[in-house]
Amino acid sequence: MEASDNPFGHRLSRRWVLGTAALGGFGLAACGSNDQSSSSRPAPASDDSEDPKDIAADAYTFGYPLVLMDATRIAAGAPNQFANAVALPDPDERLVVRLNLDTLYSQAWLALAAEPLVLQVPAVEPDRYWLMQLLDAWSNTRHNPSSVHAQVRPGVTTPPYTYLVTGPQWQGEVPEGMTQLAMPTETAWILGRIEVKDSHDVAKVLGLQNELKLVPLSAWLRGETASTGRPYAPTPGAIPPPKQVAALDGPDFFDRMCALMAANPPAAEDAPALRRFATLGIAPGATVDLAITDVLDAGVAQAKTRIPEYDDPGTKDENGWVVATDLGAYGTNYALRARTAMQGLGANLAEDAIYPTIYAKADSNGKPLRYRMRFPAGRLPPVDAFWSLTAYDTDNYLVPNTAGIYAIGHEIPVVPGADGSVDLAVQCADPGSAVPRGNWLPIPASGQFSLSLRLYEPRPEAIDGTWQIPALTQVT
């Protein structure tokens, strides 16, 4: 079997890095959104390795997103309630890597076993982008209503937009005026984003966050429509969910995975993989046999190496930029699903956002380097919402600089030249008055740095490669 056809991705080559805001509980990166075919790989073939350690490694890869999602849910606190980010980040914020300065997040973990929840998005100005991404317990994006595609039922033309988020066992009637968003698992995650135009705009976004409603259906029908969100505040000293999961040994991980699969069953297309895992006693609701602890531990160790090293054949290289357009819904591509969860849980579908990223050196033997990017006239990033370019230091944090410029293109618009082209100066030192403020992105004086170009609601030509990102060119 070719590595690219193996859903567990036993392929170790170029290390892939997700160029999006890693969530860490908030953070990160679907049209009707149940179609996962573009990312699917065939289920395991009968000639896959039957070595128990290989099976355990594949089972870990399969279950890692489910276990990580659950750890993230527990860390978030009370279910069925929005937690809202209340401020834009600055370089002193070091809890989460690769933060963006474009949106404020509102997240909520849903418990759908008892009854559906009503999600209502208030009226938002037509020129303000918003997205309500809904993920299932396996980290697949299932629905993505947004300011560009509200995805409401016929006849609903004006906000507020009211959705009914239902679990897999619900069989009731959708109330008039609501649009059903059916989820295949009883646990679901809403990752809401609302555009922030600049630091002075934060107060308006906080007001919109307070108008978001998330209410049990029974309470809504009784007229109890008030919904109180809370400011998001990470618990000081808390162990991040990825570290919690990484610390689990084989028996603990697989027991947790088995329990979670009973509550959030795998998809029908996962049946071949589940039959293989069952040979080790790994199945929904099962308890693993401690007599094979060594096998399970060895499989976990093997998978921890394989997952981050998986080289996705769907990732493109455009003039040195790494572009991933097959994230967000994974079908049976278990390796891609696990790698994305490990490096950026909550990644968007490409139709909502893509995050091309490039890595480079900021200096040569201690001498700062200067770079340029040039967009020809009419060739700025093609989007239906907006775009931004952000710089990060070697540790993936915002770059401190006296000018206070951390991203350009959105809050700080770029300025075209006389011929309509846009030239960007990417360098540590202030390039002077000849370069408009919006065309200078500061980078560190030394070490490695990276750039992420965020395209919100990218047009098809940005996704299929018809439009390509200009090269980052070093200048003398």
Side-chain angles (χ1 to χ4, degrees):
M1 174 179 289
E2 291 293 327
S4 62
D5 292 331
N6 186 335
F8 295 100
H10 297 168
R11 183 180 199 183
L12 305 179
S13 56
R14 177 177 54 82
R15 185 177 182 87
W16 177 91
V17 182
L18 181 65
T20 184
L23 283 175
F26 238 119
L28 269 163
C31 190
S33 31
N34 290 336
D35 181 4
Q36 301 176 16
S37 59
S38 63
S39 295
S40 295
R41 298 289 183 268
S46 59
D47 60 351
D48 272 1
S49 171
E50 294 305 322
D51 184 313
K53 293 178 182 178
D54 287 340
I55 295 174
D58 287 345
Y60 186 94
T61 300
F62 178 86
Y64 178 82
L66 178 68
V67 176
L68 179 60
M69 286 279 286
D70 189 62
T72 306
R73 175 191 65 81
I74 293 170
N80 301 339
Q81 182 184 54
F82 274 114
N84 300 314
V86 296
L88 291 173
D90 59 38
D92 293 329
E93 190 161 338
R94 314 285 283 185
L95 182 64
V96 179
V97 299
R98 307 194 73 80
L99 289 163
N100 82 69
L101 295 99
D102 303 318
T103 65
L104 287 183
Y105 289 86
S106 295
Q107 71 159 331
W109 285 90
L110 311 186
L112 300 172
E115 63 175 311
L117 288 160
V118 177
L119 165 66
Q120 188 174 81
V121 179
V124 178
E125 310 97 300
D127 64 343
R128 188 185 298 277
Y129 173 78
W130 60 266
L131 169 68
M132 292 291 145
Q133 179 189 12
L134 274 84
L135 298 95
D136 65 21
W138 294 88
S139 78
N140 292 295
T141 298
R142 294 289 177 172
H143 303 283
N144 61 338
S146 71
S147 53
V148 178
H149 305 288
Q151 297 176 9
V152 290
R153 69 193 300 175
V156 178
T157 58
T158 58
Y161 300 123
T162 308
Y163 305 93
L164 186 68
V165 187
T166 61
Q169 305 303 319
W170 189 75
Q171 297 180 344
E173 183 176 341
V174 179
E176 184 177 355
M178 293 186 187
T179 300
Q180 184 178 9
L181 302 177
M183 299 299 295
T185 57
E186 293 181 350
T187 297
W189 191 14
I190 298 177
L191 277 175
R193 301 159 174 83
I194 302 177
E195 177 187 358
V196 180
K197 300 181 183 298
D198 55 46
S199 59
H200 303 293
D201 189 46
V202 170
K204 290 183 180 179
V205 177
L206 298 182
L208 292 170
Q209 289 178 333
N210 289 333
E211 293 182 53
L212 289 170
K213 297 184 184 300
L214 188 62
V215 180
L217 176 60
S218 60
W220 185 277
L221 295 177
R222 292 194 300 268
E224 301 170 13
T225 59
S227 176
T228 303
R230 56 184 173 84
Y232 170 73
T235 304
I239 300 173
K243 290 189 176 181
Q244 294 179 32
V245 176
L248 297 174
D249 62 17
D252 286 343
F253 177 89
F254 289 114
D255 277 344
R256 190 162 176 177
M257 172 182 163
C258 290
L260 290 169
M261 286 197 296
N264 298 282
E269 59 264 33
D270 297 328
L274 292 173
R275 286 194 294 269
R276 188 160 167 261
F277 304 152
T279 63
L280 296 184
I282 299 171
T287 300
V288 298
D289 184 355
L290 294 180
I292 61 169
T293 293
D294 289 348
V295 169
L296 300 179
D297 286 344
V300 168
Q302 189 178 116
K304 286 179 180 178
T305 299
R306 288 176 175 173
I307 290 172
E309 295 292 346
Y310 172 67
D311 187 27
D312 175 21
T315 298
K316 310 182 192 84
D317 184 325
E318 296 182 3
N319 295 321
W321 294 79
V322 179
V323 186
T325 57
D326 56 352
L327 306 182
Y330 308 96
T332 56
N333 191 343
Y334 309 132
L336 179 60
R337 185 175 71 184
R339 186 200 62 185
T340 305
M342 182 176 284
Q343 298 181 336
L345 186 66
N348 291 111
L349 292 170
E351 65 191 56
D352 292 319
I354 56 175
Y355 307 93
T357 297
I358 195 167
Y359 292 79
K361 297 188 302 180
D363 73 297
S364 176
N365 297 320
K367 180 181 179 181
L369 298 175
R370 298 182 301 142
Y371 295 89
R372 294 292 182 270
M373 286 181 64
R374 186 175 192 275
F375 294 92
R379 298 292 289 175
L380 285 173
V383 293
D384 286 326
F386 62 94
W387 65 273
S388 68
L389 183 67
T390 310
Y392 300 96
D393 64 17
T394 188
D395 296 318
N396 293 305
Y397 297 113
L398 296 173
V399 177
N401 62 87
T402 56
I405 299 173
Y406 312 115
I408 57 176
H410 177 222
E411 177 181 352
I412 307 175
V414 297
V415 180
D419 64 352
S421 65
V422 173
D423 290 293
L424 304 182
V426 180
Q427 61 185 62
C428 178
D430 189 332
S433 59
V435 175
R437 174 181 169 85
N439 293 31
W440 170 40
L441 183 61
I443 59 174
S446 61
Q448 297 285 326
F449 75 96
S450 61
L451 307 177
S452 279
L453 180 66
R454 289 179 167 85
L455 285 74
Y456 294 89
E457 297 290 337
R459 292 176 182 159
E461 58 265 33
I463 297 172
D464 65 22
T466 303
W467 174 87
Q468 294 204 345
I469 311 166
L472 181 67
T473 304
Q474 183 179 328
V475 296
T476 56

